Amino acid sequence: MQTTSKLTSSQTTIFTEMSALAIQHKALNLGQGFPDYDPPSALLDLVKDAIDDHKHQYAPMAGVLALREIIAQKVLHAYGQYVNPSTEITITAGATQAIFTAIAAFIYQGDEVIIFEPAYDSYRPSIELAGGKAVVYTMEAPDFKINWTLLAAMISPKTKMIIINTPHNPTGTILKADDLLQLSRIVKDTDIIILSDEVYEHLVYDGQLHESVLKYPELYQQSISVFSFGKTYHCTGWKVGYCIAPEYLMNEIRKVHQWNVFSVNSFVQHALAAFMADASQYLLLNQFYQQKRDFFLEILKTTRLRPLKTEGTFFQLCDYSNISDLDDVAFAKEMTVNHGVACIPISVFYDDHRQDKLIRFCFAKTEGLLTAAGEKLKQIR
Ligand SMILES: Cc1ncc(COP(=O)(O)O)c(C=O)c1O
């Protein structure tokens, strides 16, 4: 009898491991990507209202219509793309489920999916479970730019999907308009599907704009974009997100979604629908997080860590090569155990675990926590 799962090499994620180590050693946790503050109180009140209003039974398979309608309004306003709430939006149990479902729907045995490393850790196992093969484009530190000519050369007759992620976890880089235009040119007249992970869409800094696939009408016709309320409203534990795709793709996604989760938490969807009416809540997020990024950068100046440029997300990469020769996993563990600050090593975002001596901090934390972490980081010489 076969009693091993199809993911034989899969282990506990480094995020779980570092968070457990942080708890064990009472370290300040700047590792895993979640805020240490609550969602907006108005949203919490709306959740309570939805509970009082008895929104406890199954939501529609595609999600509460009012939520899909307000998302469609937002997309039109932010990206200039009309998407039909009935046929082009599905609410999912976080972005991770949207990614998994999209891959499960379209990837057949032997299909190739191009991913960009360092990469968010759910892409590869989702591809492999579907029987596909991850083909890696490696982005090089420190600027992690994509050379689209090289990317085009990686496309084979088996290429079924390309997964992009902007703003990018863990590097904090963003794709620019020119990147999207080049990608659009490369996949034009092919059957390649773009899976665009845009969970940090509202965390873009220094006056730059988020380049969504939804801004590019031709590209949209062969794209699935995924989003997460967890990142936007400081509620990562609620695990609610959504995906958007043209109807011919969304029909297939829903076939898998239906037998996977069927539908997502009902009262949270009702609360989110009401809360999204106030656009300022997400429009001001750039400012909120830019201030945190700058605050953390000032703190880092007092340390020997060398920060890389962060254009988006709530992550800050730092080069520690002038402090230690340890590999990044060992260094991250030493930081947690001996210096009291947890972080994430970057090698875990690469299949070949390449060593660039980089660690990632999450700055979605209160100023008090960031300051306390700074005091400890200063001591590392
Ligand atoms: C790039 C990226 N995609 C997707 C997710 C998952 O989002 P969710 O918590 O909504 O599943 C994360 C969470 O860290 C992420 O960083």
Side-chain angles (χ1 to χ4, degrees), residues 15 32-34 92-99 119-123 164-170 197-200 226-231 235-242 313-315 349 360:
F15 309 102
Q32 206 170 359
F34 58 81
T92 57
T96 311
Q97 186 240 314
I99 292 164
Y120 178 61
D121 60 348
S122 87
Y123 305 153
I164 59 171
N165 170 214
T166 184
H168 186 263
N169 175 13
D197 181 343
E198 305 184 19
V199 299
Y200 301 102
V226 304
F227 303 87
S228 171
F229 289 111
K231 311 294 177 188
C235 53
T236 59
W238 293 3
K239 293 298 293 184
V240 183
Y242 57 97
T313 74
F314 45 46
F315 299 117
F349 295 85
R360 189 197 79 179

Side-chain angles (χ1 to χ4, degrees), residues 79 166 175-177 180 196 198 209-213 215-216:
Y79 304 126
T166 184
L175 294 180
K176 309 286 160 51
L180 275 283
S196 183
E198 305 184 19
L209 294 177
H210 171 56
E211 293 300 329
S212 172
V213 289
K215 271 190 183 175
Y216 299 83

